[in-house]
């Protein structure tokens, strides 16, 4: 239960107490700052507290946005401020200063209610009198209040106070009865619920999602909220629906393919609904953000496997295409993640290419074309669903690979141009994030730590070193000699360590993690395909899926501010270079049938370790009260 402390004289006919209770607050009334300080001290330290001016007039949703969002330690709207446990001490200090100022300033004209000069004796403020006798108000529409002074004090104390964009919503503390009447009329003129529904849709989303899903999914989100369903429950329903769709695709029949396509769209509708439900009811959480992001990948890749199984039932082996689609899609995401991590806190972050992109976004039709070109999740899943229902798995994968390859080239080329033309200084934090995304194991770490001219060779900057190793490995894979392949993997291991021997702060160093992903996944794909034994490619699909899960989990931990997975886990699964070297050695030492078994065992080993540790971490973070996370970035 959260607690709201109303300060000042109650206003007859005000619905404020009822609005606060409807938002889950236990309402208590304080007559002055000293009384508020006493009430605040009585609230348990692990609870949220809001200080609200009793004269507040506004929409309930304005209060909801300002007082109940779990993502911020402190937040405020005009006349109301809230603090979560992390900001409670700062709020207590600020309120103590207000109490001291009120008790010590009576002789200089400060009222017992803690208001500044200019407040009427009946509790109705008239504002601060300026030299010419006019009223100087805090924002031109609201009177000065204890809540607003506390919000300013929190900011001054180093606690960032979130102030939500209210748009047409009203949140004011009127200065007199006439202003109160005008504020109430303004509240009646705006449909609170309509604004709330519009706000659940992402400001930036794909064309298909914006025009074909969101117009009705927002009402599904409201329906779920009114029945007490949580975003995590809807996320789970979306996963189950997608898994059923994959099962239908695995039947290999036309009715099964049609059902799979329909269910995949239903799963996507639910996928949109869970985020809209979170925004509608402000039910953000660390665990929910992780589930939403992780399940998206699990749904898509499980569907690929279902299509491959369905094709096999019809006598067509498309496992290589399915694995290729997963590799390409995962590498695309790593490009996105690495670029964003490298640049989100860079200083002097300017680029003529970025400026041109912004100008193009100001032309309406180019916005939608550019969003569709990158084939975001809405367009991608709609395309997969239609192709599944109307064509064959092979055609579906061909079109998917062509579309994703074009999107990858488009986005990567644009980001390379931005990086080359951008004057930016990357931070140590960005370099560390890129090093974490590289997922280097003990072998590469050992090489990176070598010092001296006799133990270290030079190939230029980190990107060139990484690229050298990838080129050697690629050539070795197609040499036809398994031991040459092992030698190429060894050189790749050394160059990977060399790439990480200095901070990744170069203009294009964000390409290092995607190169490592492509090298590792591509090695598994090529060697499984060359094995030529039934079951090798499905085993490789499982291994890449398990490793990809680990890489996505690393991204979500970094985004959540938790840093990379523990070093013991990275060592236990070998790092990208260790796994690459191991797979090439297994291919050289074992026959095709044994190699298939080895891939299966390795996939199971990696999957168990990374999933168990990941679930343990995210559940513990959720129970430990980690800051809520909600991604409003570009669609994946």
């Amino acid at each position: 239960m959260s607690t709201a402390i109303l300060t000042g004289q109650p206003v007859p006919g005000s619905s404020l107490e009822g609005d606060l209770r409807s938002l889950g607050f236990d309402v208590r009334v304080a007559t002055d700052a000293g009384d508020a300080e006493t009430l605040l001290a009585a609230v348990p330290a692990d609870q949220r507290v809001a200080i609200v001016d009793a004269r507040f007039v506004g929409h309930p949703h304005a209060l909801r946005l300002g007082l109940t969002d779990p993502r911020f330690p402190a937040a405020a709207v005009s006349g109301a401020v809230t603090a979560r446990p992390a900001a409670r001490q700062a709020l207590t200090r600020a309120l103590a200063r207000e109490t001291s100022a009120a008790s010590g300033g009576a002789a200089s004209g400060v009222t017992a209610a803690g208001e500044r000069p200019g407040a009427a004796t009946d509790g109705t403020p008239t504002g601060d009198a300026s030299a010419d006798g006019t009223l100087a108000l805090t924002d031109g529409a609201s009177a000065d209040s204890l809540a607003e002074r506390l919000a300013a004090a929190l900011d001054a104390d180093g606690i960032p106070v979130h102030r939500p964009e209210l748009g047409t919503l009203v949140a004011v503390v009127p200065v007199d009865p006439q202003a109160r009447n005008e504020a109430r009329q303004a509240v009646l003129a705006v449909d609170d619920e309509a604004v709330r529904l519009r706000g659940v849709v992402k400001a930036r989303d794909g064309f298909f999602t914006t025009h074909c899903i969101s117009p009705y999914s927002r009402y599904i989100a409201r329906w779920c909220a009114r029945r007490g369903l949580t975003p995590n429950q809807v996320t789970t329903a979306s996963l189950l629906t997608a898994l059923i769709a994959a099962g239908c695709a695995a039947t290999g029949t036309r009715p099964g393919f049609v059902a799979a396509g329909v269910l995949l769209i239903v799963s996507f509708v639910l996928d949109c609904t869970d985020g809209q439900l979170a925004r509608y009811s402000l039910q953000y959480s660390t665990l929910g953000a992780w589930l939403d992001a992780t399940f998206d990948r699990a749904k898509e890749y499980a569907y690929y496997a279902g299509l491959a199984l369905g094709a096999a039932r019809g006598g067509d082996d498309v496992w290589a295409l399915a694995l290729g689609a997963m590799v390409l899609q995962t590498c695309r995401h790593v490009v996105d993640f690495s670029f964003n991590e490298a640049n989100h806190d860079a200083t002097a972050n300017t680029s003529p290419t970025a400026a041109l992109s912004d100008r193009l976004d100001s032309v309406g039709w180019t916005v939608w074309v550019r969003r569709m070109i990158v084939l975001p999740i809405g367009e991608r899943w709609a395309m997969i669903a239609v192709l599944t229902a109307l064509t064959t798995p092979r055609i579906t994968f061909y079109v998917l690979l062509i579309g994703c390859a074009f999107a990858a080239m488009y986005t990567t080329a644009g980001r390379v141009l931005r990086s080359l033309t951008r004057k930016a200084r990357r931070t140590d934090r960005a370099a560390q994030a890129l090093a974490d995304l590289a997922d280097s194991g003990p072998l590469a770490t050992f090489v990176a730590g070598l010092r001296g001219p006799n133990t270290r060779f030079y190939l230029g900057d980190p990107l060139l070193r990484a690229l050298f190793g990838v080129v050697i490995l690629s050539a070795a894979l197609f040499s036809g000699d398994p031991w040459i392949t092992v030698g190429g993997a060894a050189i790749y291991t050394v160059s990977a360590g060399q790439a990480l021997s200095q901070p990744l702060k170069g203009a294009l160093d964000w390409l290092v993690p995607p190169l490592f992903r492509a090298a590792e996944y591509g090695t598994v794909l090529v060697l499984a395909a060359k094995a030529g034994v039934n079951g090798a490619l499905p085993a490789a699909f499982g291994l890449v899926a398990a490793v990809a899960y680990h890489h996505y989990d690393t991204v979500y931990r970094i985004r959540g501010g938790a840093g990379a997975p523990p070093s013991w886990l990275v060592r236990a699964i070998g790092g990208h270079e260790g796994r690459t070297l191991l797979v090439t050695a297994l291919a050289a030492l074992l026959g095709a049938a044994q190699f298939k078994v080895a891939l299966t065992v390795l996939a199971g080993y990696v999957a168990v370790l990374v999933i168990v540790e990941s679930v343990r971490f995210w559940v513990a973070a959720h129970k430990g009260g980690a800051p809520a996370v909600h991604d409003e970035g570009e669609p994946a």
Side-chain angles (χ1 to χ4, degrees), residues 1-5 24-28 43-44 47-51:
M1 171 69 75
S2 301
T3 299
I5 300 174
F25 285 96
D26 177 25
V27 181
R28 303 176 187 179
V43 178
Q47 287 189 12
R48 174 194 291 273
V49 173
I51 307 294

Side-chain angles (χ1 to χ4, degrees), residues 8 55 89 219 263 514 630:
R55 302 162 297 175
Q89 288 187 352
Y219 295 102
L263 288 173
H630 188 69

Side-chain angles (χ1 to χ4, degrees), residues 53 128 245 280 298 320 330 399 401 529:
D53 195 302
D128 292 341
Y280 184 85
T330 303
V399 176
L401 284 166

Side-chain angles (χ1 to χ4, degrees), residues 237-252 255-268 299 302-307 381 385 388:
S238 176
L239 173 66
L240 294 176
T241 304
L243 294 179
I244 294 172
C248 292
T251 63
F257 288 147
V258 172
V262 172
L263 288 173
L264 187 64
I265 294 298
V266 172
S267 175
F268 182 66
K299 287 180 286 190
Y303 192 84
Y304 293 174
L307 281 177
W381 282 25
T388 300

Side-chain angles (χ1 to χ4, degrees), residues 554-600:
T554 301
V555 168
Y556 303 139
R557 293 193 195 209
I558 293 173
R559 281 185 168 183
S567 57
W568 71 261
L569 177 66
V570 178
R571 290 194 301 269
I573 60 177
H576 71 93
E577 82 291 347
R579 290 186 298 270
T580 301
L581 186 59
L582 175 61
V583 170
T584 58
L586 290 173
L589 291 170
L590 303 177
Q594 290 77 21
F595 180 60
K596 177 190 71 174
V597 175
L599 286 180
T600 304

Side-chain angles (χ1 to χ4, degrees), residues 7 39 42 81 136 140 212 216 290 384 390 419 474 564 591-592:
T7 61
L39 292 175
V81 62
C212 301
Y216 59 88
W290 171 71
I384 293 171
L390 300 180
S419 299
S474 301

